[in-house]
Amino acid sequence: MTSSPTSPSALLDFLRASYPSAVSPSASETDLPALSHQVFPNTSYTDSEKVEISQWLTTSSRLATPDEDEAKHAERLGSLNIHLSTRTTLLGSKPSVADIALYYRLAPAVKSWSAEERTGKHGYHHIVRFIDFVQNAPFLGLSISDDNKVDIDLNDVKFVRKPLDPKEEKERKKKEKAAAAANGETVLAVGKDKGEDTSKSSKKEQARDAAAKAEDKVKGAVTGESTQQPKKEKKEKQPKPQKQPAKETPLSPCLIDLRVGHILKAENHPNADSLYVSTIACGDAPGTDNTSEYEGQVVRTVCSGLNGLVPLGEMQGRKIVAVCNLKPVNMRGIKSAAMVLAASPRLKEGEEDNHKGPVELVTPPADAKAGERVMFEGWTGEPEGVLNPKKKVWETLQPGFTTTTGLEVGFDMGAVPQLHGDEGAQKPVGKLVTASGGNCTVKSLGNAVDLTTLSHQNPPSPSRSPSITKSNHNKFHHLHQRSQSITKSNQKPAIMPVISREIINPRFDIGGSNGGPTIKQVSIYTISIILGAIALVAILVAVVRCIKKRKAEK
């Protein structure tokens, strides 16, 4: 550490000597904040910690400035000493480049401090302890010779600060209050005579007022005249203006927050055979509720009932369409914070779901970015933060989700009766597109009305629209990850009403399904077995007793 500690290049040389593989020869001062992850690859840093590292790098350079005002320098050292009093490193317990920079820039100064400056009554005990820790910590692995290390005698402590005793502090505060109260009583005692005079005069006035009132009453009784003053009329209270009810947002598919999602990882659910657990980046901001961090990205954990329907390999690293504003639900011990959009053939009336598919995930354009908004053409508006489950917005709009002969996903307004009274009831089927304009598609589940035929030039006539929109469109349905659908049924809940009774229409699934017998069912089976065993034992006991009785009689 012979170079000037204020020089960024000297600091980089010091880092390069200790971590040659992590600090490249071309690294510059601007690269210092980002070097923490390279020097300590096993340590992860939040965004706020990254900002804190940059701030400490700036502070360390100011502490090493030789021409800084002495009072200001002492103030900075005092603040640093207080900060380190409850921390092992500048970030608390995580090592960073800021710790090494602070050591490099402060070590020469600490080396020249006297024993009083280090551990005296007004010394910087915690800074000295920090310097000793950094230069000797094995996991930091700094390349410093013994000659260049700061010589610190851990037993040479000039002043030991007495820890604050809570009981003594409480007693001290009580004494201060008592002293303040005593001062207040003394003030009152000084003005005692004056107070007595005032109280005496007030009593005399009260007696005069009472006598005057009694005299008035006597006069009133004799003359029959009322001496009471007329009462003031009470003002009528005006009714408070009633609060106007909140304006309800009109029903629209735009209320559903559809986004491009990027599956970073998918695996089998540990407690349910029919569920996948996926880690999906949906473009959320850091700190968003029900999110976590994975490989430097903000992600959501999503449980989907696609195990056995979509190969696990197809779930890895692919883009999907996610529904991001449904209320999160716990699914067999794992909280699911979104749902995955997928298509499958619709069942005929009376046909049972054998859970064999086929099922196809809705695929956004390849160049779409995670978090990009997905919406239906012809519908504008902002999605709600979280859909109110009581209003059943998704359940109402989901029947309108459809596919076309071109394998494009769309929204058919005619399949949602609640939208028929709104303006634009003759809207054609709107394609599902990303904000950048790309279409969302399925692999093969099409065979529906061609959207180009229903677009601007040739809208369907009212007499033909029911057969077109209700028979030939592929319909969406969803496997909601509600806990009651798992505990009360062994089938995937298809909440969408049957639209066609003659043609099998594709429907749309949103991942979330049953994964085997429930706890309630297992409990019933266990209790039944136990009761059966008890009954069998009782019968055996009765038989044995009967045999013994007969033998005794003989």
Side-chain angles (χ1 to χ4, degrees):
M1 295 184 293
T2 56
S3 302
S4 172
T6 58
S7 172
S9 59
L11 173 59
L12 286 167
D13 292 338
F14 179 68
L15 286 166
R16 201 174 290 115
S18 299
Y19 313 103
S21 60
V23 184
S24 64
S26 60
S28 62
E29 181 184 1
T30 56
D31 299 324
L32 282 172
L35 286 177
S36 291
H37 185 67
Q38 299 173 24
V39 173
F40 305 105
N42 296 325
T43 305
S44 59
Y45 304 95
T46 64
D47 291 339
S48 59
E49 287 173 340
K50 291 175 183 177
V51 173
E52 196 174 349
I53 289 170
S54 299
Q55 292 173 346
W56 279 116
L57 286 170
T58 304
T59 302
S60 65
S61 63
R62 289 174 180 169
L63 284 168
T65 305
D67 56 349
E68 187 179 39
D69 179 66
E70 187 176 346
K72 188 70 176 176
H73 185 69
E75 182 182 344
R76 290 187 195 278
L77 288 174
S79 300
L80 175 62
N81 192 61
I82 293 171
H83 179 80
L84 291 172
S85 63
T86 57
R87 294 167 176 83
T88 304
T89 66
L90 291 172
L91 297 181
S93 59
K94 293 181 180 180
S96 67
V97 170
D99 296 311
I100 301 169
L102 185 63
Y103 169 81
Y104 178 75
R105 286 164 171 164
L106 266 187
V110 176
K111 204 169 189 177
S112 62
W113 284 353
S114 65
E116 188 67 27
E117 287 177 305
R118 292 186 181 187
T119 59
K121 187 173 183 179
H122 302 290
Y124 304 108
H125 303 65
H126 304 294
I127 293 178
V128 174
R129 187 260 310 154
F130 171 81
I131 294 293
D132 183 68
F133 168 76
V134 172
Q135 68 183 3
N136 294 309
F139 72 93
L140 289 176
L142 290 180
S143 179
I144 310 172
S145 63
D146 291 338
D147 294 337
N148 285 329
K149 286 184 178 180
V150 180
D151 186 17
I152 296 174
D153 185 359
L154 299 178
N155 297 318
D156 185 15
V157 180
K158 298 298 180 184
F159 178 79
V160 178
R161 299 182 184 275
K162 185 181 177 182
L164 189 65
D165 187 353
K167 290 184 178 179
E168 290 182 3
E169 182 69 9
K170 194 174 182 181
E171 289 296 326
R172 184 184 64 78
K173 289 182 178 179
K174 279 185 179 180
K175 288 178 182 178
E176 288 180 358
K177 286 183 180 179
N183 291 335
E185 287 176 3
T186 305
V187 173
L188 290 175
V190 171
K192 186 175 180 181
D193 296 337
K194 187 176 180 180
E196 285 181 353
D197 293 343
T198 305
S199 61
K200 286 179 181 178
S201 61
S202 62
K203 287 180 180 178
K204 288 179 180 179
E205 289 176 0
Q206 289 175 3
R208 286 173 187 170
D209 291 341
K213 287 180 181 178
E215 187 178 351
D216 291 339
K217 286 182 179 179
V218 171
K219 286 181 180 179
V222 173
T223 58
E225 296 177 358
S226 175
T227 58
Q228 291 183 355
Q229 294 181 355
K231 293 183 179 179
K232 293 182 179 179
E233 294 181 0
K234 291 183 179 180
K235 293 182 179 180
E236 293 183 1
K237 291 184 178 180
Q238 296 181 352
K240 292 181 179 180
Q242 293 182 352
K243 292 183 179 180
Q244 294 183 352
K247 205 171 184 181
E248 288 192 8
T249 308
L251 187 65
S252 163
C254 293
L255 298 178
I256 301 171
D257 187 5
L258 297 172
R259 302 187 212 164
V260 174
H262 184 195
I263 301 178
L264 304 179
K265 178 181 69 172
E267 56 192 5
N268 294 321
H269 194 296
N271 303 320
D273 295 337
S274 64
L275 298 181
Y276 285 140
V277 181
S278 303
T279 302
I280 305 178
C282 297
D284 296 290
T288 305
D289 291 341
N290 303 307
T291 62
S292 58
E293 189 173 330
Y294 178 76
E295 294 183 350
Q297 299 189 55
V298 179
V299 296
R300 298 187 181 209
T301 299
V302 180
C303 296
S304 55
L306 301 172
N307 195 341
L309 301 173
V310 176
L312 185 59
E314 288 187 19
M315 298 287 291
Q316 307 293 343
R318 66 166 295 157
K319 301 284 181 64
I320 50 92
V321 175
V323 183
C324 295
N325 61 343
L326 294 170
K327 190 175 180 181
V329 176
N330 281 318
M331 300 188 69
R332 295 293 178 88
I334 296 178
K335 193 173 188 179
S336 181
M339 294 201 293
V340 178
L341 211 59
S344 65
R346 183 154 189 75
L347 301 175
K348 289 181 180 179
E349 185 179 4
E351 184 181 5
E352 291 186 4
D353 192 350
N354 55 13
H355 308 291
K356 292 183 180 179
V359 171
E360 296 177 359
L361 296 175
V362 175
T363 305
D367 58 349
K369 295 181 180 179
E372 187 174 353
R373 178 83 189 278
V374 182
M375 63 201 80
F376 292 102
E377 288 182 337
W379 298 89
T380 57
E382 292 299 317
E384 293 199 354
V386 178
L387 293 177
N388 187 345
K390 294 181 180 178
K391 293 184 178 180
K392 297 188 179 297
V393 175
W394 165 255
E395 290 84 348
T396 303
L397 295 170
Q398 173 265 326
F401 284 54
T402 183
T403 62
T404 71
T405 51
L407 305 180
E408 296 162 327
V409 179
F411 183 77
D412 178 14
M413 184 179 179
V416 183
Q418 291 83 347
L419 294 175
H420 290 177
D422 296 347
E423 289 185 12
Q426 300 299 321
K427 281 185 181 180
V429 175
K431 297 179 185 179
L432 186 64
V433 296
T434 60
S436 56
N439 293 333
C440 297
T441 59
V442 292
K443 192 174 181 180
S444 63
L445 295 175
N447 194 27
V449 174
D450 191 348
L451 283 178
T452 56
T453 306
L454 294 178
S455 58
H456 307 287
Q457 290 85 0
N458 301 309
S461 63
S463 61
R464 293 184 56 198
S465 59
S467 60
I468 292 173
T469 58
K470 293 187 179 181
S471 297
N472 297 331
H473 279 197
N474 293 330
K475 301 297 177 181
F476 280 78
H477 110 292
H478 85 301
L479 303 178
H480 202 318
Q481 69 270 47
R482 298 185 183 277
S483 57
Q484 62 182 2
S485 69
I486 294 175
T487 58
K488 294 185 179 179
S489 172
N490 288 329
Q491 295 182 354
K492 300 174 185 176
I495 62 166
M496 174 183 167
V498 175
I499 300 300
S500 171
R501 299 192 178 184
E502 292 112 18
I503 300 175
I504 300 177
N505 289 330
R507 63 187 176 192
F508 268 73
D509 300 337
I510 292 187
S513 178
N514 181 25
T518 64
I519 295 174
K520 184 177 179 182
Q521 291 169 339
V522 172
S523 302
I524 292 171
Y525 298 153
T526 306
I527 292 169
S528 301
I529 292 169
I530 292 171
L531 291 176
I534 292 171
L536 183 60
V537 171
I539 292 169
L540 290 173
V541 170
V543 170
V544 171
R545 285 180 180 176
C546 185
I547 292 170
K548 286 182 178 181
K549 188 176 181 181
R550 287 184 179 181
K551 284 182 178 181
E553 288 176 354
K554 288 180 180 180

